[in-house]
Structures are given as structure tokens and as C-alpha cells.
Amino acid sequence: MVELTAALQNPQAQITLAVLGLAVVLFVTGALAPELTGLLSVALLMSTGVLTPEQGLAGFGSPALITLMGLFAVSAALFRSGALDRLRELIASERIRSSRRMVALLSLVVGPISGVVPNTPVVASLLPVIETWCHRRRISPSRVLLPLSFATLLGGTLTLLGSSVNLLASDISRQLGFGTLELFSFTAIGIPVWLAGSAYMLVASGLLPNRSDTSERLRTDQSQIGYFTEVSIPNNSTLVGQTLRHSRLQRRFDVDVLELQRGRERVLPPLADRRLEAGDRLLLRVTRADLLRLQQEHTIQLADANRPAANPMALSAGDKPLFSNEESGQKTVEVLLPAGSTLAGASLRELRFRQRHNATVLALRRGQQTVQERLGQAVLREGDVLLLQAPFDAIRGLQASNDLLVLDQLENDLPTVQRKPLAVTIALLMLLIPTVTPIPLVAAVLLAVVLLVLVRCLRPGEVQRAIRLDVILLLGSLSSFSVALQTSGLADGLAADLERLLLQWPAYWSLVMIFLVTTLITNVMSNAASVALLIPVATQLAQPLAIPAQAMLLVVLFGASQCFLTPIGYQTNLMVFGPGRYRFLDVPRYGAGLTVLMCLLVPALILWHYGTV
């Protein structure tokens, strides 16, 4: 650590290390949203003089970030025009009858799609289709949803457009003077990685949990999944004065009473012999089927998550139920809070959810966890599933939101299906033109966006809604990390100390170590942050190890893209975590072997590709 110690004599290096340390803590703990952590870091680096405003904000105007913004719009047009309809039909066909066949289909078909379309919208589009297939085949979603996420991760390294992190790595490569990555720069490495990973997922499918076989006997019927909701006892209900053990509520419905709230008092189980009083509020765990039946029950009232608990005695059993299925055009749907949702971290009451989305929250599901808070006060988390009742128009509005993912399929979801050939043709030309002409990729993507709007595959307003602002802010701010590491001398110091260690090793095992470190960091921190922090250091090791700088860059890039050990390491893992009813250890159980395989395979492929074997 001699060189690093010497580098830290520079005050700018000390400031940079402190800012990076703070950023790592915030990324790991999740105390701030990742994009806010990135903005805070670049603001501190500029405020302390480590970076000039031009250096700190250069990432926001980079060709890579503009390409990504356009790519979000192109992918939205493809999905809106029904480009994945054939895949949806294949999933729903009679040929796919087992979880093993579904895993094979996802591995071999979804992977290549993720090579040209960002993986988050791919997972968002296929989640409701696969859940419907699981329900029809009576197969636990836990047998197929994690392979869906892993397939998109493997496919994301087939081309430059497969992941936002690929574009960030290309931009950092340009900043460091190594040139940008081309569209198919690492496809020769990505294809064997995808095929080997697909083979592993098939062979290791027995490691996937089957939640329908647990002691809790979770049934595959969607109507039997446990939700948490809240009910109140009206002042003239027949339940007043009865104990829970002998009440109509326990006799008619399959419910678990988790808590009784009486004024300011909270009473926990056992509650069977407690007599109910008017105004009592009960926190229930209930199946979806019984929850819908409860709406018609006049002895209780489903509580409004947006309404304070004041004046509970004003309710009466003869009042119109708060949520009525008799209202014209109402539909009950499930929605998921995806990674990056701005709703996470706030309660339903704070969000004024009903007024904001014209939708009523009936219940909440949070994987295998028990929700002890009242429905309106429960703080939402990424991966939560809400059961909503809303008019069709409101549900269609939710489908255009980046904050919620509608898991139920609606009729006529794709109003521009007749323009599918146009959308697909424009997307293919977008890929072809930069390959065979001098036109840069960013120009081809922007031309594609304009053409898609002109031919009415996409509306101008939908272009703006398609852009993930959280991703743009994160990637734009994180590119400043690599500049700070270079200008402060930290990258040179750390690389010099690592050089002393790795020069004693063969080139292959040096790359294995770098890949493993990158993967482990990525599984507890943002993959974009891993790329921004490690690429400047790894590329400094290229000359002493006699390996091309872009080869070192690809080791970090592939390591940051292979997140198979935790649900929090990548957003698609988190998206399937709740619907699949996974537990934390389910992910490393299935993904550890795949991580070891990639640690051994990817460095060998990179050395072979660059002719250094």
C-alpha cells in the first residue's frame, strides 16, 4: 500500500477517498436513493474543487447517456407496438408445459432480446404473462421467475445496447482515452457466456425453490396468495360484543387476525377471546378470494388507506362499502413497485395514493414477510405488490408509469399493433446503420426515435414518460467518479499496489481476481458504481500485466453485469423477488454456481478474444 499512501498525501486524493467512502456506504445501506447518492457525490467533488463543473457534469452530455435516453424511447415503441407478441404467444402455447421447458425458453429466447432492448422493460412486459402461465399450469412462480431475471442479465452482455452499464463503460473508456466500445465489440465473448449460463440454468433448475411445497402450503392459485389489509367495525355491526373465536368473521372467511387497534391501544395475539367493540380496527392476513368477498360483507368495513382513523364511530353497517365491485368499469389488479420507483420510502397516506392515481389500495403483499403496520401507514418498499381497485382508464394510466408495474393483463393493451412491422424495421435499421456506415450509434438512435414518432408508433408525450430519469441521473453523475480517481492520483496509487500483488500471478488468475472482486462489490452496491470505481484502476494494470486496456475494461464490465448472488444487486432480481415469493437465500443458492462458472469462463474468453492466451 506504499503507492496508495503516497497518493493520499494529496489533499484532493483525501477528499476523493472520503466522498467515495460516503457514496459506498450510502449505496450499500440504501439510506439515499442511488441517483441521489450520485448527485450528492458529484456536488461534493465540485464544491471541494476536486473537479471543475465542466468535469463533474460532462457525463450528463455524453453520447452514451443520450444514446440511452433514445434507447428507452425505442424500446417503449417496440413494446407498445406488440414486438413481443410472438414470444407471449409462445409462452402461452401448449408446447410449454413444464417449468424446465419454460426455463429453456427464457434462456434461449429472452437472452438475445435483452441484447438489444434494456432488460428492465423486458421483465416488466413478461412478468404478467408468466404469472398467468404459472396459474394455469399450477406451477409455482418461484420455479421460473428467477431464471427470467438471470436470462436478461446474461443477454445484456451480447451487445453494447443490452444494458445501461455497457453504455456507461463505453463513456468511461472514452474519457480515459481508450476510445468508445462499438455495438458488437464484445459479442464474441457475450455469446459463449450466454450459452454457458443458459446451460447452467437448465442443469441447476432443481435448486430453485417450490413455494407450493413449503410447510405454509402456499397454493399456486393466485387467489390464495396472502395479502395484508385493514378492516374496521361499524357502530351497529352484529360483530359488536362478540369474541373473534365465535364471530361471523372467523366462521365465514379464511383470515388471520394479526393485530387489534382500539383507539391508541394496539393488542397483539392471542386475540381469540377478545370481544369486539365499535370502531375497532383489525389488521388481517387474507387470501385474494376472501378479500374480494369481504367487500360485500356488511358487518365490517374495509379501511381506506388514505383516511385517518379519526371518527371511526361515524361508520355504520348500512353504509355503502368503500370499495364496490358494482361500480361501472372497475377492475381489481395487482401492481408491483419496481426498482427505482419514487413511491418507495413513503406510506400510502403520505403519497395520497387514492387521489394521485384514482385507485384504491385494497391490500399489500411483501414476499414472505408479515406487515405489522396499518395499511395506510406501512412504508412502501421496492418489490411490494399492491392489490388495487380502479377504473379501466386509471389502470391504463398506471401502465404508462415508471413507478408501478401492472401485473394483470388487460384487453387491448397494445393499441398500435398494426404498426408492429414499422417499429421492428426501424429498430433493425438503427442497429444496422452504425455497423455498415460511418454514422455514429447515438445519431442512429435519435433518428429512430424521431421516425417512430412520425409514423405514430409512439406519441411525443410517451417519449418523455419512457425515459427513466433515475437511471439518467445515476449514470450521468457516476461518470465523474472515474475522472476524480484519475485527477487525484488515487487510481494510479491503487493500481501500483495491486500490480505488486498480481505480477506474481499468471494473467488468467489476475483477471479471475478482478472479475470476482467486481462481482462481489456489484452484488451489494450499484453495478454502475462498480464500473465507475473499478475501470480506472483496472485499466491502469493493463500495461504491467501486458493485457490490452479494453480487455481489462471488459473484465470489469462483465463482472458488474453478472449479479447472481443477491436480490438487491440488480433491479430485475428485485422485480421478480416479490412475485416469486423468494427468500433472500434462494438467490445465492441458485446463483452461486453460475457466479463461479462466470468467474472461470469470462477471463478465459477475454484472453482468447484479445490473443493473449
Side-chain angles (χ1 to χ4, degrees), residues 441-452:
L441 178 61
V442 61
V445 171
L446 294 179
L447 287 171
V449 173
V450 175
L451 282 175
L452 288 167

Side-chain angles (χ1 to χ4, degrees), residues 33 35 120 124 127 334-346 348 351 353 356-357 361 364 380-386 388 394-407 464-471 571 574-575:
E35 64 274 16
T120 303
L127 255 179
E334 289 179 319
V335 297
L336 169 75
L337 264 71
S341 173
T342 61
L343 304 184
L348 293 170
L351 292 169
F353 192 95
R356 180 175 178 178
H357 296 287
V361 179
L364 165 68
L380 299 179
R381 302 179 188 172
E382 295 175 346
D384 282 353
V385 177
L386 303 175
L388 305 182
I395 295 172
R396 296 198 188 284
L398 294 176
Q399 288 179 313
S401 169
N402 289 327
D403 290 326
L404 292 167
L405 169 63
V406 179
L407 297 180
Q464 300 173 29
R465 288 197 298 269
I467 296 172
R468 288 283 304 274
L469 185 59
D470 59 322
V471 176
Q571 53 194 356
L574 191 59
M575 287 174 69

Side-chain angles (χ1 to χ4, degrees), residues 306-349:
N306 293 290
R307 180 189 300 170
N311 301 322
M313 300 293 290
L315 301 172
S316 70
D319 290 342
K320 179 183 176 181
L322 181 60
F323 313 118
S324 175
N325 273 326
E326 298 173 3
E327 297 179 28
S328 175
Q330 294 280 319
K331 183 173 175 64
T332 303
V333 296
E334 289 179 319
V335 297
L336 169 75
L337 264 71
S341 173
T342 61
L343 304 184
S347 69
L348 293 170
R349 188 167 298 158

